[in-house]
Amino acid sequence: VYQACLMSNASRARALSIVSTLLSNSNVKLSNESLLVEKLKRFVEGGRSQLAVVTDFGRTVTTGASLSTHAIVQKCISCPTFHEESKENDDSFYPIKRDPSIPLSTKIPLMREWYNKTHTLMASVGITRTMVKDVIAERSGKDFDPGRGGLRIREGAVEFLNWLGVVKLKTLVFSAGLRDVVEDVLEHFHVVPRPSLSVVGNVMVWSDEGVLVDFEDSEESGHGLIHMYNKNVTRAPEGWQEDVENVLVLGDSTGDATMADGGKDFRAVLKVGFCNDLTEEKATRYEEHFDIVVDG
């Protein structure tokens, strides 16, 4: 009993130390300090063997103004007709995505329609995997700034992902975009592939010649589409949740706060939200969904 009490006190002391460090950073807001201490205490008690990380990719691993995975593929294409049709789709569906008054039951089928139209269009113009990698290399160069068609990784993200691999922490990198592009971006920025790191997203189908011919999420394929409203651990590789009791969730939208949902009843889920373009109104909204809110 005494030993258990000592361990509990040590875990709480470590948790309080972490919170104190967070409070000293002016770019960090804590939604509920006492609850955060309890979650961190459970993380410390469980150790690395019970901890897993679930992170969004776009605007979380990448910076807030970076190209999305779909936008990277679109940069491969010079055909005016493709871009006209693509813009027409985006102009039709994007306002629906952003409209909070539309219920999810109405919104989700429309989001599926948007994705399927976009993917069908992309698979019709002869994109190659080499073209995708060339765009990634070009757009991550110094000639392209984020916000002007550039691609950047958030400071410290590569080191963090590589450290997670070294210590063999189960890590899911989630994207409602394109898994192949995420993998190519991580490779370009020297994130080392490891068995503990899984990328989950919509899968592109390539011909033997390396030409994009389909998506595994197409109506004909039978595979489930991953979109912004079903991005959670039910999509994780089989057996991923075994031995996992505590989860660190990292995301940039309030929808990302549910990425640990749908699975087992974890002991603690600690949620960190990167609030790009932080305003007082957004900060309040993010604090309702995340334990820690980071400005930028």
Side-chain angles (χ1 to χ4, degrees), residues 1-60:
V1 173
Y2 291 129
Q3 186 176 8
C5 289
L6 286 171
M7 290 178 63
S8 179
N9 287 336
S11 299
R12 178 171 291 277
R14 178 61 179 145
L16 288 168
S17 175
I18 295 170
V19 169
S20 177
T21 300
L22 292 170
L23 288 170
S24 67
N25 190 326
S26 61
N27 291 327
V28 173
K29 297 180 181 294
L30 309 183
S31 59
N32 185 323
E33 189 175 327
S34 60
L35 180 59
L36 177 59
V37 169
E38 288 305 310
K39 289 185 178 183
L40 286 168
K41 179 172 172 286
R42 291 182 179 183
F43 275 27
V44 174
E45 290 171 348
R48 292 178 186 171
S49 63
Q50 295 183 10
L51 180 62
V53 175
V54 177
T55 180
D56 177 50
F57 178 74
R59 294 167 61 89
T60 300

Side-chain angles (χ1 to χ4, degrees), residues 58-67 146-147 152-154 252 276-277 296:
R59 294 167 61 89
T60 300
V61 173
T62 59
T63 59
S66 282
L67 289 174
R152 297 289 184 275
I153 295 293
R154 190 178 293 275
D252 72 282
N276 302 295
D277 306 316

Side-chain angles (χ1 to χ4, degrees), residues 133-173:
K133 293 186 177 186
D134 287 346
V135 167
I136 290 169
E138 177 189 39
R139 295 286 167 160
S140 60
K142 62 182 180 181
D143 293 336
F144 290 93
D145 294 327
R148 294 192 187 177
L151 174 64
R152 297 289 184 275
I153 295 293
R154 190 178 293 275
E155 184 178 356
V158 171
E159 294 81 0
F160 178 59
L161 290 172
N162 281 333
W163 176 81
L164 292 174
V166 169
V167 299
K168 300 179 180 179
L169 228 64
K170 287 183 179 179
T171 304
L172 281 183
V173 178

Side-chain angles (χ1 to χ4, degrees), residues 182-233:
V182 173
E183 291 173 341
D184 288 345
V185 171
L186 295 178
E187 178 185 26
H188 177 76
F189 284 98
H190 307 296
V191 173
V192 179
R194 299 180 191 272
S196 57
L197 175 66
S198 302
V199 178
V200 179
N202 296 301
V203 179
M204 307 164 87
V205 178
W206 307 92
S207 71
D208 292 341
E209 293 75 31
V211 177
L212 178 65
V213 294
D214 199 2
F215 286 78
E216 286 192 3
D217 55 54
S218 67
E219 296 291 343
E220 295 78 14
S221 71
H223 292 266
L225 176 73
I226 298 177
H227 52 73
M228 63 287 294
Y229 301 114
N230 69 352
K231 193 170 62 174
N232 58 51
V233 294

Side-chain angles (χ1 to χ4, degrees), residues 70 86 90 93 110 172 186 225 239 244 249 267 271 286:
H70 282 96
S86 182
D90 292 348
F93 290 102
L110 293 170
L172 281 183
L186 295 178
L225 176 73
V244 175
V249 170
R267 283 193 73 216
K271 304 173 184 181
Y286 272 58

